[in-house]
Amino acid sequence: MDPHLLTTFVTVARQGSFSAAAAELGYTQSAVSQQIAALESDLGLPLLHRRPVEPTPAGARLLEHAEPLLLRLSAARADVLRAAARPRHRLRLAATPLSVNPVLAERLARARAGEARLEIVLRTCAAEQVVAAVAEGRAELGLAGGIAAPSDPLRLPDAGPMTTTGVSQEDVVVVLPPGHPLAGRAALRLADLVDARWLDTPLCPPSRLRDLVGEGFAAGLRYEGDDVHTVVTLVAAGHGLTLLPASAVPAGVCGVALAEPRLVHRVELLHGVLPAGAAAGLAAALSG
């Protein structure tokens, strides 16, 4: 299958519109229609319903394959170019919220102190976007963080050959509003909190808790941002509980240790092939 046709198909499916996809890709609407028709002819199956524009069952299955395939192609191109690139002193670091914790912030400071010319641009985004940014060469290094068991790696998208190194982990705590009946406990079991109301946030989605414990963990409010101050403010106002790394819990709310299961906020460093120079030095510094 032609990757250009796959790209057009993914864009149309995401936009739900041939005209919007044409505008995003810089094609005419007629060209987009012809490309979709060519892909459907190649497979011998209809991939998109036209009114409304949405994937057919065959199209939905193709989407499951297309996005990882396109990411792998972008990653392959970026990896070849990165391997041939000269060392640079202006580095791009993609990181998930909470991944630059006090330990890694200190390591970052030491790296900058030891390299006077080093310039770092730090951008925060979701874990999937961190992986894509590193794979496609839009960031030299990535820091992806998430909740996991102490010995478990994070579940990240497959983007081809990439070095993944655990660089930090700290215990998570249950974040409760002041005056909550459980705020005085020394520790809590997650299983005892299945009936509590939880914030649904990218930092701690209830679906992840259900994976660990089972049913329950109903969402009281969905917050689609990643600002920790907002999350803590919502907890303090009684909109729901959440889990955060112990170092991220500020004054004004209560963080209670989690006794069972033991969970950590794990941070992994991601990068492709790094030539000797600033990027390799920063990777070594962040690895401790």
Side-chain angles (χ1 to χ4, degrees), residues 95-188:
T96 56
L98 300 176
S99 62
V100 184
N101 56 36
V103 170
L104 292 178
E106 176 61 29
R107 292 178 187 172
L108 193 60
R110 288 201 300 268
R112 295 183 64 228
E115 176 54 74
R117 291 191 296 162
L118 182 60
E119 299 177 23
I120 298 173
V121 177
L122 173 64
R123 179 172 69 93
T124 58
C125 51
E128 295 78 8
Q129 295 170 314
V130 169
V131 173
V134 174
E136 294 172 352
R138 291 180 283 109
E140 284 73 36
L141 302 169
L143 289 171
I147 295 174
S151 58
D152 289 350
L154 299 180
R155 297 182 294 182
L156 298 173
D158 177 13
M162 187 180 296
T163 299
T164 303
T165 307
V167 292
S168 172
Q169 71 175 33
E170 63 175 308
D171 289 338
V172 298
V173 296
V174 184
V175 185
L176 307 162
H180 191 281
L182 300 177
R185 297 281 189 90
L188 293 168

Side-chain angles (χ1 to χ4, degrees), residues 56-93:
T56 64
R61 291 298 296 272
L62 180 58
L63 274 177
E64 294 177 8
H65 297 283
E67 291 178 315
L69 282 172
L70 292 172
L71 177 58
R72 290 293 296 270
L73 285 171
S74 295
R77 174 184 173 82
D79 189 53
V80 171
L81 294 175
R82 186 166 47 227
R86 294 172 49 161
R88 298 188 303 169
H89 293 277
R90 188 175 188 272
L91 302 178
R92 298 160 297 178
L93 176 60

Side-chain angles (χ1 to χ4, degrees), residues 7-280:
T7 298
T8 300
F9 168 67
V10 169
T11 306
V12 173
R14 174 167 48 79
Q15 291 280 9
S17 163
F18 280 72
S19 59
E24 178 178 330
L25 296 169
Y27 300 148
T28 64
Q29 185 171 335
S30 174
V32 169
S33 297
Q34 291 173 12
Q35 290 181 39
I36 296 300
L39 185 58
E40 291 178 325
S41 176
D42 179 30
L43 291 173
L45 291 167
L47 300 173
L48 291 168
H49 297 298
R50 267 42 176 191
R51 294 190 180 180
V53 177
E54 59 184 18
T56 64
R61 291 298 296 272
L62 180 58
L63 274 177
E64 294 177 8
H65 297 283
E67 291 178 315
L69 282 172
L70 292 172
L71 177 58
R72 290 293 296 270
L73 285 171
S74 295
R77 174 184 173 82
D79 189 53
V80 171
L81 294 175
R82 186 166 47 227
R86 294 172 49 161
R88 298 188 303 169
H89 293 277
R90 188 175 188 272
L91 302 178
R92 298 160 297 178
L93 176 60
T96 56
L98 300 176
S99 62
V100 184
N101 56 36
V103 170
L104 292 178
E106 176 61 29
R107 292 178 187 172
L108 193 60
R110 288 201 300 268
R112 295 183 64 228
E115 176 54 74
R117 291 191 296 162
L118 182 60
E119 299 177 23
I120 298 173
V121 177
L122 173 64
R123 179 172 69 93
T124 58
C125 51
E128 295 78 8
Q129 295 170 314
V130 169
V131 173
V134 174
E136 294 172 352
R138 291 180 283 109
E140 284 73 36
L141 302 169
L143 289 171
I147 295 174
S151 58
D152 289 350
L154 299 180
R155 297 182 294 182
L156 298 173
D158 177 13
M162 187 180 296
T163 299
T164 303
T165 307
V167 292
S168 172
Q169 71 175 33
E170 63 175 308
D171 289 338
V172 298
V173 296
V174 184
V175 185
L176 307 162
H180 191 281
L182 300 177
R185 297 281 189 90
L188 293 168
R189 296 170 62 247
L190 199 56
D192 295 334
L193 301 170
V194 293
D195 295 327
R197 237 1 129 170
W198 288 78
L199 288 180
D200 187 356
T201 77
L203 302 178
C204 178
S207 59
R208 179 70 179 118
L209 304 182
R210 286 192 286 271
D211 289 344
L212 294 165
V213 176
E215 296 298 320
F217 304 102
L221 182 147
R222 179 172 177 78
Y223 170 55
E224 296 184 348
D226 55 26
D227 178 66
V228 178
H229 176 74
T230 300
V231 170
V232 170
T233 299
L234 291 170
V235 171
H239 290 285
L241 311 183
T242 194
L243 299 180
L244 286 177
S247 66
V249 180
V253 292
C254 179
V256 178
L258 191 61
E260 183 185 334
R262 187 184 167 219
L263 298 176
V264 298
H265 185 262
R266 177 180 172 86
V267 181
E268 295 180 354
L269 174 67
L270 315 175
H271 60 81
V273 176
L274 296 176

